[in-house]
Amino acid sequence: MTEPGGRSPIGVFDSGLGGLTVVRALLHDLPHEDLIYLGDTARVPYGTKSREAIVRFAEEGSSFLLGKGIKLLVLACNTMSATALPELASTMGVPVVGVIDPGVEEAIRVSVGGRIGVIGTSATINSQAYRRSIQTRRPEWLVFSQACPLFVPLVEEGWEESEVAVMTARQYLAPVVAQGIDTLVLGCTHYPLLIPTLRRAVGTALRIVDSATQTSREVRDLLARLALENPGPASPMRCYLTDIPPSFIGVADRFLGRPVTHVERVSLPS
Ligand code: DGL
């Protein structure tokens, strides 16, 4: 296989369709880049699985994308970024960008009081990856974390702005809000769709950090530093899924904000 260069695609990998929120930001910031998306829709959610299973799935999906000649891998999934990023970064042979450090950098930029709330899947919160990343940069800052396992199914069901979602958000967030946080980091691909609901639950004073936007900026800067930008024009994104569930079109359109085309079902190498 030839060495990937500027014209090679960027691989974007998520456990399911939530990573399309990162694709949305990439399409906005990097319109000349070719994107290949892989969603492991047959095995989603990863956020409730063991670390061993998540690392294995992450390796299988990444090998698949590497086989497509990608020049850079975006792990557009907080759960994988929290548990499998170091392993992948040392073995992939192309740069790997996760979603945690970009979100943390932004939280550090916007926080006024150094009291940060982090919400995510159980695997992400249990890994303590956000806490470590924040306290490596700001050891004196306080981090209050909360797993919110009901948020992913609520968003997938299209209920992100329902009264049920507002009540769920109030219940999950009450303990972290009681700690006097000034910034809330959305540590899950699905949560950007919950921003209006989170605002209703916690008010408008809290700064809310969405790592999708920051991740795409980091990719843009990294490609520029490595002189790996694509002069364009870009081809339509290819979307590979390990299953095409009946709900696919509606869910994918909501995450991406436009229809997803060029979809193919694939099996991952084990
Ligand atoms: N993509 C996952 C994340 O960002 C959420 C869905 C899952 O649990 O697999 O953590």
Side-chain angles (χ1 to χ4, degrees):
M1 200 195 305
T2 51
E3 238 352 63
R7 289 192 183 274
S8 305
I10 296 173
V12 184
F13 178 23
D14 179 40
S15 54
L17 299 172
L20 291 171
T21 54
V22 179
V23 168
R24 192 177 188 154
L26 288 168
L27 288 172
H28 178 266
D29 291 342
L30 298 161
H32 296 305
E33 295 297 334
D34 286 346
L35 303 181
I36 297 186
Y37 185 84
L38 172 64
D40 192 4
T41 37
R43 298 190 289 201
V44 69
Y46 285 7
T48 51
K49 308 269 183 342
S50 68
R51 188 184 172 279
E52 291 68 29
I54 298 163
V55 171
R56 180 162 55 81
F57 297 165
E59 286 169 349
E60 290 171 6
S62 304
S63 316
F64 172 84
L65 285 170
L66 215 48
K68 299 281 172 202
I70 57 169
K71 63 182 172 188
L72 182 144
L73 173 68
V74 182
L75 272 188
C77 171
N78 288 263
T79 301
M80 272 193 275
S81 300
T83 49
L85 184 62
E87 279 91 338
L88 290 180
S90 61
T91 55
M92 280 288 286
V94 297
V96 183
V97 175
V99 286
I100 291 182
D101 286 348
V104 165
E105 295 287 351
E106 178 65 3
I108 285 176
R109 202 178 65 75
V110 302
S111 171
V112 285
R115 297 177 80 87
I116 312 290
V118 178
I119 54 176
T121 65
S122 301
T124 297
I125 298 305
N126 290 342
S127 76
Q128 306 273 353
Y130 272 100
R131 181 189 302 281
R132 273 198 307 278
S133 179
I134 293 168
Q135 291 182 336
T136 302
R137 292 164 171 81
R138 295 286 185 277
E140 70 288 6
W141 281 23
L142 295 175
V143 181
F144 304 96
S145 308
Q146 177 66 51
C148 304
L150 291 176
F151 278 170
V152 166
L154 276 171
V155 172
E156 300 234 331
E157 195 63 26
W159 287 14
E160 62 268 18
E161 294 193 25
S162 66
E163 287 309 309
V164 177
V166 177
M167 283 166 61
T168 309
R170 286 204 177 109
Q171 180 133 359
Y172 276 142
L173 291 172
V176 288
V177 170
Q179 296 293 340
I181 58 168
D182 62 86
T183 301
L184 180 68
V185 179
L186 307 186
C188 177
T189 48
H190 287 55
Y191 298 179
L193 275 71
L194 283 161
I195 290 175
T197 289
L198 294 169
R199 286 265 168 244
R200 282 177 65 195
V202 301
T204 50
L206 271 188
R207 287 162 178 79
I208 293 184
V209 171
D210 150 19
S211 48
T213 320
Q214 304 314 318
T215 302
S216 113
R217 291 188 188 142
E218 165 137 354
V219 172
R220 188 186 56 197
D221 294 349
L222 185 60
L223 289 179
R225 274 206 305 283
L226 299 173
L228 276 178
E229 295 147 304
N230 190 345
S235 319
M237 179 174 82
R238 278 174 285 157
C239 180
Y240 295 101
L241 302 177
T242 53
D243 186 29
I244 304 186
S247 60
F248 161 73
I249 293 179
V251 177
D253 289 5
R254 279 187 302 117
F255 284 129
L256 191 60
R258 65 173 91 166
V260 181
T261 53
H262 300 80
V263 182
E264 193 181 318
R265 190 159 63 77
V266 291
S267 302
L268 296 183
S270 52

